[in-house]
Amino acid sequence: MAKALLIGLDGATFTTLEPLMDSGAMPFLRSFARGGVRSILRSVVPPLTPPAWTSLTTGKHPGGHGVFDFFQKESPESRTLRFTTSHDVRTSTIWSLASEQGRTITALNYPLMFPAPKVNGRVVPGGWMPWRQLRLGCHPPGLFDRLKALPAFNPRELSHDMALEEKALEGCAEEDHADWITLHTRRERRWADVLSHLMTEEPADLTAVLFDGVDKLQHLCWRFLDPALRDESPTPWEAEVSRLCESYFRQLDEILSALVERAGSETTVVMASDHGFGPTYDIVYLNTWLEEQGFLAWSGDQGIRPDANREVGISQIARHVFELDWERTVAYAATPSSQGIHIARRTSDNPFGVTDESYPEVRARLVDALRDFRHPQTGRPVVAEVHTREQVFPGRFVDYGPDLTVFLNDDAVVSILRSDRVIKRRAHAVGTHRPEGVFLASGPGLRKGVEISEISIVDVAPLLLHTLELAVPDDMDGRVPVEAFEPEALRDRPPLTTTATNASLVGSPSSPEETPYDAEDEAIVLKRLAALGYLE
Amino acid sequence: MIAKDQVRAELIELLTKLAGDWDYEGEITPGTRLLRDLALESLGLVVLGTAIQDKYGRLPFTDFLAEIGQRPPAERDVTIQELVDFVCRNCSPVAAGGPS
C-alpha cells in the first residue's frame, strides 16, 4: 500500500533555506530539492500557525475549517476568546479521512491535536501542549507509557515548558539565545528519535512530524539567519549566535536525511511549511490608533501594563474584556497574531454594541479610517490592505473570523497594547511571518529536479490523499497539484474526487452542535503569545 | 449529583499519574494546590480543565478560572478539593462517567 511521510517545517522559507543549501550547511535538503519537485507554498490569511497547519491538513481555508487564531471566539458575537483546541477543527482532516478508509497514521507534534482525535494510529500532540500534561494528549491509551521508556522521550523538552520559553524570550537577553537555540536543536532530535522508533516498531501509512524550531529560531534570530542583514563585523556574541543557528540547521539536515532514508524510496516524502518568514521593524499599536480615532476606550488606567500580574496567569482570562470600556468601544484588536479587528456587536451581554442595522456603516467607516491611517513621521499609508471577513474567510465559519483583517506596510506587526505612540520602531530586525512558505516533495510518480509555480497550502492535503490512493472530497478548497506529477503517473492513476460527507469526523471529535464544551472550557492565555514574541 | 468521593478518588488518581511524569515527590491529597504545589501554570490549568471535561462533561471552567483569578494574589490557587467541589456542583449525572 502506498505510503507518505509529511515533514512539517514550521515557518520555513527559502530566504533562509536557500543560502544554507548553497553554503553546504544543508547538503541533504539540497539534493532532495534537486531530485524532486519544489515550489513556493502560499499560506492562508492570516499566515499563522493554527489556521495554516489546519488548512494544510484539511485542504480548506479558515472559513471552511473554523480555525483563525491561537484563540477562538465563543460565538460569532462574543467578546470573549478561548484557547483553540482540536474541537475547533470542524471538518475532515487528512488524519480522519485516512483513518476512515483503513489507513494508519502517526502524527507527532502537530498543533490543535489536543484533545487527541480518535484516529486509526498514534498521536502525540504539539502546539501549546504543556509538557506536564503530555500524557493527557497522547492517543491511543498506553502510547505515552510505551514512549516514556525511550531515552529520547523527555516531555519537558519535547513539549512546551513555559518557564524555559519565558526565560529565553521575555527578556531576549544575550545569554539566553544560546540555550534557546540548543534547546530546539535537542528538541528536534528527540522528536526524530521518537518518530524513528515508531516508524520501525509501529509503521503507519501516513507518517507525519512537525519540527517547530525553525519558526522559533527565526522569530528571535532573524538578523543572524538572513544573509541580507548579517553584520560584516559581528561581535563575538553575534558570531556565536550565528554559529549556533547554522548548527541547528546542519543538524536538522541530518535529521531529515535519516528520516527520508528510513522511509524508503517507495514512500512519497513531502516537506512543507505553514508560512514563510521575513524581517520586521515597526510595531503598530492598533488599539491605541483605534482609541485615537474614537473607536475604542480603555477602562480607567487599564491596558498600560497587561503583563503586570503574570505570576498565575489565570488572571489573563478574557483580559481585554476587563480592560476596555464597553460603553465607548466600537472596535478592538483582540490578539496581535490575527491581524484582525473585531467590531463589538450588541448582545445581551453588551447593550452598547453595534446593532445589526448599524454594522455595515460602522464597518465601512472603519475601513475608510484604516485606509487614511498615515505614519506619523513619514506620512506614508500604514495599512497596505484591509479586507472584510467575507472577502478573506468565505465559508461556513465566516462569522467567527475578525470583522476586518489588515495587512500592514513595511511588514509591520500588530500590537494590542496601550502605548504612548501609535507606531514604534525596533533597533534590530526580528522575524515575522510571511505568506510564502516552502514545498518540497519526492517519491513515486513525482517529477524530478523541477521547480513548479507557486501552489497553495490547501493543495497539500489533496496531494497526500492522492498519494495514499484515496479520493479527494469535493468540498476541499485545494486541488491535487497535477503539475508536480509525471504525466504517465497521472495517466496510470488520475486523481479521484468523492462527495464530501463530513459525517464522521474522526479527526475532529465533534461537530459544532455536538461539542460538549465549546464555550466554557478554555481561557485566553496571552502569556503564551508573549513568550513566543507575538505580544509586543 | 455524582458522588463526591468518586470524583475525589478519580481526580487524585489522575493527578498522581500526571505528577509521576514530572517526578513530583509529594503525596497528592485533597489539599494539594495545583499552582504552588504542582507548579501548573495557566496553560496547564486550561489543558487539565479540558481533560476533566472530557471525562465529566461540559463544565463552566472558564468561570471557575475567572473567579480564582479575581482573588487576592496570595489566595490565587486551586486545591484538588476545590476542583472536586466544582465538578460535583456542575456535573450532570448523564455526563459523569462519560468518555475518558
Side-chain angles (χ1 to χ4, degrees):
Chain A
M1 193 177 284
K3 294 186 184 301
L5 171 62
L6 169 64
I7 299 177
L9 300 170
D10 201 300
T13 167
F14 287 121
T15 305
T16 52
L17 292 184
E18 201 81 65
L20 289 161
M21 288 192 280
D22 290 345
S23 71
M26 301 192 82
F28 171 75
L29 194 63
R30 180 187 167 99
S31 79
F32 184 85
R34 288 187 168 186
V37 59
R38 61 176 271 184
S39 79
I40 298 285
L41 191 64
R42 174 69 50 177
S43 188
V44 293
V45 175
L48 186 67
T49 293
W53 282 121
T54 306
S55 287
L56 187 140
T57 56
T58 63
K60 293 180 180 177
H61 290 286
H65 59 58
V67 174
F68 299 88
D69 195 356
F70 292 98
F71 306 102
Q72 297 287 107
K73 289 203 289 189
E74 289 184 353
S75 67
E77 292 80 26
S78 172
R79 288 174 293 168
T80 312
L81 301 179
R82 60 183 174 76
F83 187 52
T84 308
T85 73
S86 62
H87 291 254
D88 295 299
V89 182
R90 295 172 175 180
T91 188
S92 300
T93 64
I94 50 172
W95 325 119
S96 66
L97 290 164
S99 293
E100 287 165 355
Q101 294 170 84
R103 305 303 195 271
T104 52
I105 72 138
T106 291
L108 303 185
N109 201 30
Y110 278 81
L112 300 185
M113 294 291 265
F114 176 79
K118 305 299 183 282
V119 297
N120 180 24
R122 288 147 292 273
V123 172
V124 181
W128 290 5
M129 190 70 207
W131 73 272
R132 289 174 192 274
Q133 281 119 332
L134 186 58
R135 169 186 291 276
L136 297 177
C138 293
H139 170 82
L143 177 64
F144 181 90
D145 287 318
R146 290 205 302 280
L147 296 178
K148 198 179 175 186
L150 300 175
F153 196 76
N154 176 343
R156 184 167 191 149
E157 291 205 345
L158 285 168
S159 295
H160 287 291
D161 183 334
M162 191 68 74
L164 288 177
E165 303 222 2
E166 287 181 347
K167 178 178 180 294
L169 281 181
E170 283 196 347
C172 290
E174 289 191 359
E175 61 268 24
D176 289 338
H177 281 60
D179 285 349
W180 184 243
I181 299 165
T182 54
L183 166 67
H184 285 93
T185 309
R186 290 197 306 276
R187 177 178 283 171
E188 314 302 39
R189 285 222 174 268
R190 290 186 186 283
W191 280 116
D193 287 349
V194 172
L195 184 66
S196 295
H197 169 81
L198 289 173
M199 288 170 79
T200 304
E201 301 298 327
E202 305 176 41
D205 300 313
L206 172 58
T207 301
V209 64
L210 174 58
F211 296 113
D212 54 12
V214 181
D215 178 275
K216 304 290 183 61
L217 260 65
Q218 289 179 153
H219 268 300
L220 184 63
C221 304
W222 182 261
R223 66 189 173 109
F224 305 105
L225 288 163
D226 185 346
L229 296 178
R230 277 210 191 122
D231 197 328
E232 292 298 318
S233 306
T235 65
W237 170 76
E238 289 171 336
E240 175 65 2
V241 173
S242 294
R243 187 191 68 75
L244 288 170
C245 286
E246 185 177 306
S247 172
Y248 167 85
F249 281 98
R250 282 184 184 277
Q251 295 187 60
L252 179 61
D253 195 66
E254 293 173 9
I255 288 168
L256 298 177
S257 174
L259 289 178
V260 173
E261 183 180 349
R262 186 174 292 273
S265 60
E266 292 306 304
T267 297
T268 296
V269 180
V270 173
M271 298 187 199
S273 62
D274 53 340
H275 51 74
F277 248 84
T280 179
Y281 290 91
D282 287 342
I283 305 164
V284 174
Y285 292 84
L286 211 45
N287 282 334
T288 297
W289 177 82
L290 287 166
E291 180 188 22
E292 285 187 1
Q293 299 296 308
F295 290 101
L296 177 150
W298 301 99
S299 175
D301 292 333
Q302 296 296 309
I304 294 172
R305 286 281 300 157
D307 58 347
N309 193 357
R310 306 171 60 126
E311 74 272 22
V312 172
I314 50 181
S315 60
Q316 304 280 358
I317 296 167
R319 188 168 52 82
H320 66 278
V321 173
F322 301 121
E323 292 183 348
L324 297 179
D325 177 349
W326 291 104
E327 289 190 30
R328 297 184 294 143
T329 292
V330 171
Y332 59 100
T335 71
S337 45
S338 70
Q339 300 172 225
I341 296 175
H342 297 269
I343 292 176
R345 304 298 291 270
R346 181 162 300 183
T347 64
S348 56
D349 293 335
N350 182 18
F352 309 102
V354 174
T355 62
D356 291 347
E357 294 73 29
S358 302
Y359 178 77
E361 179 273 322
V362 170
R363 192 169 74 168
R365 187 157 47 87
L366 185 51
V367 169
D368 289 343
L370 285 163
R371 288 182 173 146
D372 289 341
F373 184 3
R374 292 292 186 273
H375 194 292
Q377 277 80 50
T378 67
R380 296 181 57 214
V382 173
V383 177
E385 297 174 36
V386 53
H387 298 287
T388 66
R389 61 187 180 190
E390 292 84 358
Q391 290 169 327
V392 286
F393 303 125
R396 289 171 63 202
F397 304 104
V398 57
D399 292 345
Y400 284 82
D403 294 275
L404 295 172
T405 296
V406 295
F407 294 88
L408 302 176
N409 278 318
D410 302 320
D411 297 300
V413 295
V414 168
S415 171
I416 63 170
L417 304 188
R418 194 174 191 177
S419 170
D420 55 348
R421 282 181 289 155
V422 170
I423 297 178
K424 292 182 181 176
R425 191 168 177 82
R426 301 169 200 271
H428 297 290
V430 296
T432 194
H433 297 183
R434 297 274 175 83
E436 298 88 3
V438 304
F439 170 84
L440 304 110
S442 179
L446 286 165
R447 295 169 68 189
K448 295 176 173 55
V450 296
E451 179 166 4
I452 60 174
S453 298
E454 173 181 304
I455 64 172
S456 168
I457 196 166
V458 296
D459 297 335
V460 176
L463 182 146
L464 288 168
L465 291 173
H466 175 68
T467 297
L468 293 170
E469 300 174 354
L470 299 174
V472 178
D474 59 5
D475 65 343
M476 282 193 174
D477 296 322
R479 63 183 178 97
V480 176
V482 291
E483 64 274 29
F485 288 86
E486 298 287 359
E488 53 269 30
L490 292 172
R491 268 199 309 274
D492 293 346
R493 192 169 62 81
L496 299 175
T497 302
T498 186
T499 303
T501 62
N502 275 340
S504 172
L505 302 182
V506 177
S508 181
S510 49
S511 70
E513 294 75 20
E514 295 165 338
T515 301
Y517 40 87
D518 62 337
E520 298 177 352
D521 54 336
E522 293 97 10
I524 185 169
V525 192
L526 289 179
K527 182 178 182 180
R528 181 83 183 100
L529 277 177
L532 277 173
Y534 287 109
L535 185 63
E536 298 299 338
Chain B
M1 183 176 287
I2 189 170
K4 196 170 275 192
D5 289 348
Q6 180 190 337
V7 175
R8 187 185 300 112
E10 288 171 350
L11 290 183
I12 286 178
E13 182 187 355
L14 172 68
L15 284 156
T16 299
K17 194 176 274 188
L18 287 176
D21 293 336
W22 65 81
D23 299 326
Y24 176 74
E25 292 179 350
E27 184 186 359
I28 305 293
T29 70
T32 301
R33 296 169 300 184
L34 300 185
L35 302 173
R36 285 175 180 76
D37 297 332
L38 297 184
L40 294 187
E41 37 77 77
S42 54
L43 193 57
L45 282 180
V46 172
V47 169
L48 180 64
T50 304
I52 286 173
Q53 290 173 94
D54 244 2
K55 185 171 181 60
Y56 297 106
R58 178 174 168 168
L59 300 165
F61 208 78
T62 300
D63 292 345
F64 181 56
L65 294 182
E67 184 269 318
I68 295 159
Q70 297 305 307
R71 296 177 187 174
E75 300 170 22
R76 204 169 292 159
D77 211 330
V78 192
T79 65
I80 291 177
Q81 186 60 49
E82 283 180 290
L83 200 56
V84 171
D85 293 341
F86 164 74
V87 170
C88 293
R89 201 164 53 241
N90 295 283
C91 178
S92 67
V94 175
S100 58

